[in-house]
């Protein structure tokens, strides 16, 4: 560190060189261009007086002829180490700064300004150690900033700063190359407190480092973007030249022939021609170009008038349905009638079919068979979980990545405007803040509106009246009422054991053999094996699980056929199922062999088919409370209250007196499964009546029906599913509401032949049939003559 110098007074005035917008600092060398007359005179005067010159900054850089009042009072005394004349009779000098100089007075001298003053040294620092530490940190930051600036800062500046070790010189050098306003630099020059100046420099260097770092990052991103844009521009120019060489009208596509070939509606053609004309004026590099081009591709690619339907015969369509599906006679008859009406109608408009039934009963395959019978394309669109209205109506073109809805997309894929379109899982459509897809389907499925369906993306109407819409659902409960009103509901119930076996023999086994690369000659699956798979390894209304179990049997068979010593044939007998499928997964419903008071077998319907429902009732000393357990819904709880009130009002006179001191507990097993519905009312009534009479009811008797407070037995739904469940469980007598007698026609004949049916109209008749008012009924197997029909049983029941 240099010690403070004794004030130095020059004996002669120094020539003054005014400079614009810059401040020189000691211990630096600067190149100055001198061109003003007084400045040239000052340089010549200095050359005659030992090459010393006082460089002072102007207060205002716009002043061309500055006087003493226009100059700062502190400058730098420099030694002119090199001076050369320029073409305009001026000088270019190299001035080496020596020390600070404070002007005390200006001395008149012609033709330049001169001044007297004294040297302006730094004051002594308070702590030399702290000053040196500050100088060292500033030197590190200065070198880092010079490195970040790169070649523009110059290698000489880095070498000069690296060689400096004096805090004064480090501070002056760093002040010189740091880009700051002239007023700020003049303040640093006049500041004699070295520590204060070093602290100010430290703050400025930290800010400068962050600024340069941020600027470098921005420049890198700009350069990367510029490189990509240049590359894209180069490729576009190459493409333009290629189109010019091919004579493609400077790369512009001619959409008019494609628009005319699409045979679209008049409104759509008008819009398409307008968009094609606008496309011709949009540069290919513009994002709007691709948006318009994609829109035109959709308009011209839609099958506006491309029909594939052929003339069909109802008998041929029925033959196709019979060949593809076993059973489902009522469903196939209803479809044949529906097709017959459509054949007679000229406008092809009519209700939309809705197949409702458990999973795996063939709803989707029925739609595929209809398309096959009509000679139309088949499209399946799953709506399960759809919550965005745009999935149906499409997105507006203002959105990035906009597309038409599923309806329009499906029509473009199939290339036909009259396909059979299956809208699967319509009962699982949801809604949220993005809209209500079910409401959007109202226009699609309404034959009075879908002739002018408007997709938000196309923004022109498209005729959907020729599309044969079919929907499927597992339950009608979740379908909005307005949408359900537009559907023609056809219930597709479950299959019996015989029907499942026949379906497996006719359809599933041949298909699975082909899929697994096997032939019926090498792999034999007897009917008895299929029946055992149905009863012991599946519990469903459809045949999807049966298909999976058969596939697992064939995979095990494939291992045997590809072993080291393969057999010529494999017979998949019932005894081999344990090796292929493991132990039994399902067991028949266990019916209580002992008729106990308060226990009744009921029947229930679920979305996956029917099942038996055990009703258990008991009494104990208490306060006359009714206890209900088994996770029952409100409707079932009300049925229990009705049954109990009916017992108290119509049964023995002393029963109300006993009930006042007795609690009644009704329980439905499988408490983890929610249960609800009115069809358990009759079973609840029988359970309470059995409890009162202390007489058990044979568990092979199953009952279903809604009961009223007057004792009437009202009809219920799901009769086929319930009867099939009773048949699987070993029930022999089924008690049904009298108004459900017509539903027996839906039950397969082989099931009817093994069951007896009684139809009742009120609670008294129900108790009599169940054996509570007389001798218990005998439940023998039906006579062999019963297999021919059910008319005689109707007479007995009535």
């Amino acid at each position: 560190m240099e010690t403070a110098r004794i004030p130095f007074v020059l004996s002669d005035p120094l020539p003054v060189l005014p400079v614009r917008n810059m401040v020189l600092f000691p211990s630096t060398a600067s190149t100055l261009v001198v061109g003003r007359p007084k400045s040239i005179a000052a340089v010549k005067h200095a050359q005659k007086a030992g090459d010393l010159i006082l460089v002072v900054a102007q207060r205002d850089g716009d002043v061309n002829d500055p006087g003493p009042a226009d100059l700062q009072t502190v400058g730098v005394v420099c030694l002119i180490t090199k001076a050369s004349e320029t073409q305009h009779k001026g000088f270019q000098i190299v001035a080496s700064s020596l020390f600070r100089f404070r002007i005390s007075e200006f001395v008149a001298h012609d033709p330049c300004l001169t001044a007297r003053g004294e040297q302006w040294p730094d004051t002594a620092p308070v702590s030399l150690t702290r000053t040196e530490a500050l100088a060292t940190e500033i030197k590190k930051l200065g070198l880092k900033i010079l490195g970040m600036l790169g070649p523009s800062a110059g290698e000489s500046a880095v070498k000069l700063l690296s060689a400096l070790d004096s805090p004064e010189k480090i501070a002056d050098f760093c002040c010189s190359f740091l880009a700051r306003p002239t007023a700020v630099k003049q303040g640093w020059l006049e500041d004699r407190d070295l520590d204060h100046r070093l602290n100010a420099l430290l703050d400025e260097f930290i800010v400068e480092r962050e600024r340069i770092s941020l600027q470098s990052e921005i420049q890198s991103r700009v350069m990367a973007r510029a490189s990509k844009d240049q590359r894209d521009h180069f490729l576009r120019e190459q493409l333009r030249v290629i189109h010019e060489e091919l004579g493609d009208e400077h790369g512009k596509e001619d959409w008019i022939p494609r628009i005319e070939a699409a045979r679209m509606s008049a409104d759509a053609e008008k819009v398409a021609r307008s968009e094609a004309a606008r496309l011709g004026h949009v540069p290919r590099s513009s994002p709007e170009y691709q948006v318009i081009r994609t829109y035109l591709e959709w308009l011209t690619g839609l099958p506006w008038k491309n029909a594939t339907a052929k003339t069909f015969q109802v008998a041929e369509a029925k033959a196709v349905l019979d060949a593809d599906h076993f059973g489902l006679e009522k469903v196939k008859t209803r479809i044949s009638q529906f097709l017959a009406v459509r054949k007679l109608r000229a406008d092809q408009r009519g209700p939309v079919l809705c197949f409702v039934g458990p999973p795996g009963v063939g709803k989707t395959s029925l739609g595929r068979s209809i398309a096959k019978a009509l000679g139309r394309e088949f499209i399946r669109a799953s709506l399960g979980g759809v919550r965005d209205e745009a999935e149906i109506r499409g997105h507006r073109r203002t959105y990035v990545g906009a597309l038409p809805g599923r309806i329009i997309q499906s029509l473009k894929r199939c290339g036909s405007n009259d396909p059979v379109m299956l809208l699967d899982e319509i009962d699982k459509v949801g809604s949220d803040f993005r809209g209500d897809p079910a409401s959007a389907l109202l226009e699609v499925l309404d034959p009075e509106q879908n002739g002018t369906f408007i997709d938000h993306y196309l923004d022109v109407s498209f005729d959907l009246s020729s599309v044969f819409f079919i929907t499927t659902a597992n339950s009608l409960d979740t379908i909005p009422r307005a949408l359900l009103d537009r559907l023609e509901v056809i219930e597709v119930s479950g299959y019996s054991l015989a029907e499942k076996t026949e379906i497996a023999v006719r359809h599933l086994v041949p298909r699975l053999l082909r899929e697994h690369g096997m032939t019926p000659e090498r792999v034999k699956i007897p009917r008895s094996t299929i029946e055992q798979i149905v009863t012991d390894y599946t519990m469903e209304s459809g045949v999807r699980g049966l298909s999976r179990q058969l596939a697992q049997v064939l995979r095990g068979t494939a291992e045997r056929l590809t072993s080291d010593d393969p057999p010529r044939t494999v017979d998949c007998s019932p005894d081999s199922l344990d090796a292929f499928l493991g132990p039994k997964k399902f067991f028949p419903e266990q019916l209580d062999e002992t008729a106990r008071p308060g226990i009744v077998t009921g029947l229930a319907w679920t979305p996956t088919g029917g099942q038996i429902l055990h009703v258990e009732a008991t009494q104990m000393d208490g306060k006359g409370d009714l206890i209900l357990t088994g996770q029952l819904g409100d409707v079932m709880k009300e049925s229990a209250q009705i049954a109990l009130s009916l017992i108290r009002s119509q049964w023995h006179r002393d029963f109300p007196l006993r009930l006042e001191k007795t609690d009644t507990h009704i329980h439905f097993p499988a408490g983890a499964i929610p249960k609800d519905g009115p069809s358990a009312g009759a079973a609840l009534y029988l359970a309470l009546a059995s409890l009162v009479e202390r007489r058990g009811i044979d568990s092979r008797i199953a009952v279903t029906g809604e009961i009223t407070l007057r004792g009437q037995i009202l009809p219920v739904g799901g009769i086929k599913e319930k009867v099939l469940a009773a048949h699987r469980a070993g029930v022999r007598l089924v008690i049904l509401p009298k108004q459900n007698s017509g539903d027996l026609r839906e039950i397969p004949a082989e099931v009817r032949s093994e069951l007896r049916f009684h139809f009742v109209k009120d609670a008294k008749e129900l108790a009599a049939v169940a054996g509570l008012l007389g001798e218990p009924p005998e439940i023998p197997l039906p006579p062999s003559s019963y297999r021919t029909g059910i008319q005689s049983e109707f007479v007995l029941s009535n």
Side-chain angles (χ1 to χ4, degrees):
M1 167 119 185
E2 292 184 357
T3 58
R5 296 172 185 167
I6 301 173
F8 176 76
V9 180
L10 295 177
S11 57
D12 296 326
L14 288 172
V16 178
L17 176 61
V19 291
R20 306 172 190 257
N21 303 323
M22 67 181 299
V23 177
L24 300 188
F25 288 86
S27 304
T28 60
S30 304
T31 301
L32 304 175
V33 177
V34 181
R36 289 183 289 187
K38 287 186 177 183
S39 297
I40 294 173
V43 171
K44 291 180 179 180
H45 186 278
Q47 287 177 334
K48 296 177 182 179
D51 291 325
L52 291 178
I53 190 169
L54 178 59
V55 180
V56 183
Q58 295 183 196
R59 297 182 185 275
D60 186 357
D62 294 333
V63 178
N64 291 324
D65 188 13
D70 299 318
L71 300 178
Q72 301 286 353
T73 58
V74 177
V76 178
V77 175
C78 299
L79 177 65
I80 298 176
T81 59
K82 183 179 179 181
S84 57
E85 294 186 4
T86 62
Q87 295 179 354
H88 303 287
K89 298 181 180 180
F91 287 97
Q92 179 175 335
I93 65 173
V94 177
S96 180
S97 303
L98 299 178
F99 53 84
R100 287 175 173 82
F101 186 87
R102 184 176 182 274
I103 301 173
S104 60
E105 63 174 339
F106 286 95
V107 180
H109 188 278
D110 190 49
C112 66
L113 285 174
T114 59
R116 286 192 179 98
E118 61 181 348
Q119 189 178 358
W120 194 250
D122 292 331
T123 58
V126 177
S127 173
L128 181 60
T129 303
R130 185 177 185 279
T131 301
E132 290 177 347
L134 280 173
T136 302
E137 186 64 26
I138 289 174
K139 181 178 179 179
K140 291 180 181 179
L141 284 173
L143 290 173
K144 186 171 184 179
I145 290 173
L146 290 173
M148 294 170 66
L149 291 174
S152 61
E155 296 182 1
S156 59
V158 177
K159 291 180 179 180
L160 286 173
L161 182 57
S162 300
L164 297 176
D165 54 3
S166 169
E168 289 180 338
K169 293 182 179 180
I170 291 174
D172 291 338
F173 182 83
C174 291
C175 288
S176 65
F177 80 81
L178 195 60
R180 289 295 182 270
T182 303
V184 175
K185 286 194 170 186
Q186 183 64 33
W188 292 343
L189 182 65
E190 296 176 2
D191 191 357
R192 300 177 66 186
D193 188 342
L194 181 58
D195 287 346
H196 184 270
R197 198 158 72 245
L198 288 173
N199 279 301
L201 277 174
L202 182 62
D203 294 338
E204 294 290 340
F205 270 25
I206 292 174
V207 174
E208 185 70 11
R209 182 185 61 184
E210 297 301 324
R211 185 189 66 81
I212 294 175
S213 176
L214 182 60
Q215 184 177 5
S216 176
E217 180 183 351
I218 294 174
Q219 287 180 348
S220 299
R221 293 172 61 184
V222 170
M223 291 301 297
R225 179 69 60 84
S227 300
K228 182 180 182 301
D229 291 344
Q230 290 175 357
R231 176 178 176 274
D232 293 347
H233 176 73
F234 177 72
L235 292 176
R236 283 193 294 268
E237 286 298 314
Q238 282 189 327
L239 185 62
R240 183 182 61 80
V241 173
I242 291 173
H243 282 296
E244 287 180 357
E245 293 297 326
L246 293 175
D248 192 13
E249 196 180 356
H250 303 290
K252 298 295 182 182
E253 298 175 275
D254 187 5
W255 287 91
I256 301 304
R258 296 176 61 176
I259 293 173
E260 294 176 348
R263 298 184 300 168
M264 58 185 69
S265 63
D267 293 341
E269 183 173 351
K270 181 179 179 180
V271 172
R273 289 180 179 273
S274 175
E275 292 295 317
R278 192 159 68 95
L279 184 66
H281 301 286
V282 176
R284 282 180 173 268
S285 58
S286 172
E288 188 179 6
Y289 180 88
Q290 191 59 38
V291 172
I292 300 175
R293 190 178 187 279
T294 304
Y295 178 67
L296 288 173
E297 286 179 349
W298 276 102
L299 282 181
T300 57
L302 288 176
W304 295 90
K305 294 183 180 179
N306 296 339
T308 59
K310 64 180 182 181
T311 304
F312 68 94
Q313 300 297 327
V314 177
E316 295 178 359
K318 190 173 182 179
V320 172
L321 292 173
D322 290 336
D324 293 345
H325 297 84
F326 179 80
L328 304 177
E329 297 301 329
K330 180 182 178 181
V331 176
K332 291 188 289 188
T333 300
R334 178 65 188 88
I335 293 174
S336 299
Q337 295 171 354
F338 183 84
L339 296 178
V341 173
R342 287 185 68 95
K343 183 176 178 63
L344 295 176
R345 289 174 61 93
D347 57 3
Q348 297 296 308
R349 292 185 177 182
V352 177
L353 295 181
C354 179
F355 297 141
V356 179
V361 295
K363 301 185 294 295
T364 302
S365 62
L366 280 171
R368 189 176 287 106
S369 297
I370 291 175
K372 180 180 177 182
L374 298 180
R376 301 191 184 193
E377 297 289 335
F378 178 74
I379 304 172
R380 176 184 173 272
S382 178
L383 301 181
V386 172
R387 295 180 177 273
D388 190 353
E389 182 183 352
E391 293 284 341
I392 307 299
R393 292 187 180 275
H395 303 81
R396 298 191 183 278
R397 280 185 289 158
T398 53
Y399 296 105
V400 177
L403 284 174
R406 295 193 181 190
I407 306 298
I408 297 299
Q409 290 186 40
S410 300
L411 291 176
K412 183 181 179 183
R413 280 197 301 270
C414 74
S416 168
N417 69 346
D418 60 347
V420 174
M421 183 173 293
L422 181 76
L423 302 179
D424 209 0
E425 309 290 354
I426 196 173
D427 58 327
K428 298 177 179 60
V429 174
S431 61
D432 57 14
F433 64 94
R434 291 168 292 186
D436 185 6
S439 299
L441 286 172
L442 295 176
E443 181 182 1
V444 175
L445 300 180
D446 192 340
E448 301 297 329
Q449 302 180 44
N450 60 14
T452 56
F453 173 72
I454 296 181
D455 186 277
H456 287 163
Y457 180 83
L458 298 181
D459 205 22
V460 293
S461 61
F462 190 92
D463 187 3
L464 298 180
S465 60
S466 299
V467 180
F468 194 130
F469 285 107
I470 300 175
T471 62
T472 68
N474 297 130
S475 174
L476 299 178
D477 297 337
T478 56
I479 302 178
R481 181 59 53 184
L483 181 58
L484 185 61
D485 183 61
R486 289 162 171 79
L487 305 178
E488 177 96 11
V489 177
I490 298 179
E491 294 186 1
V492 185
S493 303
Y495 299 104
S496 65
L497 171 62
E499 288 175 333
K500 289 183 179 180
T501 304
E502 195 66 30
I503 291 172
V505 171
R506 294 189 182 188
H507 303 285
L508 299 182
V509 172
R511 175 176 62 82
L512 291 172
L513 286 174
R514 291 193 302 270
E515 292 177 358
H516 290 77
M518 303 176 186
T519 60
E521 290 75 21
R522 295 200 65 183
V523 179
K524 299 183 182 299
I525 303 180
R527 185 181 294 267
S528 58
T529 300
I530 297 175
E531 291 177 350
Q532 186 163 339
I533 293 176
V534 172
T535 57
D536 296 346
Y537 294 92
T538 62
M539 180 62 71
E540 57 176 350
S541 297
V543 293
R544 190 170 295 158
L546 174 60
S547 178
R548 284 194 290 265
Q549 297 300 324
L550 288 171
Q552 185 172 343
V553 171
L554 292 180
R555 288 194 295 269
T557 304
E559 286 186 336
R560 296 185 180 182
L561 294 176
T562 56
S563 61
D564 296 336
D565 186 16
R568 294 180 60 87
T569 61
V570 176
D571 188 1
C572 302
S573 64
D575 297 335
S576 65
L577 292 181
D578 187 83
F580 289 127
L581 303 178
K584 293 182 180 181
K585 298 180 180 178
F586 300 99
F587 296 88
E589 293 284 353
Q590 298 296 321
L591 299 176
D592 196 341
E593 298 179 358
T594 303
R596 302 179 183 179
I599 299 178
V600 174
T601 302
L603 298 174
W605 177 92
T606 68
T608 58
Q611 64 181 27
I612 66 171
L613 194 67
H614 296 287
V615 182
E616 300 176 352
T618 187
Q619 287 180 334
M620 65 206 81
D621 292 339
K623 300 178 181 179
D625 296 334
L626 175 62
I627 305 171
L628 301 173
T629 56
Q631 199 169 348
L632 309 182
D634 293 337
V635 176
M636 193 170 283
K637 292 178 181 178
E638 292 174 356
S639 297
Q641 293 283 357
I642 292 171
L644 183 58
S645 298
L646 186 59
I647 289 292
R648 295 183 62 179
S649 63
Q650 294 187 0
W651 212 258
H652 296 295
R653 296 178 180 177
D654 60 342
F655 181 72
L657 299 177
R658 289 186 300 173
L659 191 62
E660 291 178 357
K661 299 181 181 181
T662 304
D663 289 345
T664 303
H665 187 169
I666 300 177
H667 175 65
F668 287 80
I673 302 174
K675 310 171 188 68
D676 200 8
S679 61
L684 286 166
Y685 174 81
L686 277 185
L688 293 175
S690 170
L691 194 62
V692 171
E693 285 295 313
R694 300 292 190 268
R695 297 183 63 176
I697 297 177
D698 196 315
S699 62
R700 293 173 297 172
I701 300 176
V703 59
T704 184
E706 180 180 0
I707 196 166
T708 69
L709 203 57
R710 296 175 295 168
Q712 291 182 327
I713 306 297
L714 302 182
V716 292
I719 295 298
K720 180 180 179 181
E721 289 83 357
K722 294 176 180 178
V723 171
L724 292 178
H727 179 260
R728 288 196 304 266
V731 171
R732 287 294 175 262
L733 174 61
V734 181
I735 303 177
L736 301 173
K738 187 172 184 179
Q739 297 179 24
N740 284 119
S741 60
D743 294 328
L744 239 60
R745 297 185 180 89
E746 301 179 8
I747 300 173
E750 66 273 9
V751 175
R752 296 199 308 265
S753 65
E754 297 180 8
L755 296 175
R756 295 180 69 88
F757 298 91
H758 278 284
F759 300 94
V760 296
K761 61 182 179 180
D762 53 33
K764 183 177 180 181
E765 189 175 353
L766 173 64
V769 172
L772 296 180
L773 300 182
E775 293 296 325
E778 295 184 2
I779 312 177
L781 288 176
S784 58
S785 60
Y786 182 76
R787 299 179 181 272
T788 59
I790 60 173
Q791 183 64 35
S792 60
E793 185 61 30
F794 285 160
V795 174
L796 289 175
S797 300
N798 293 334

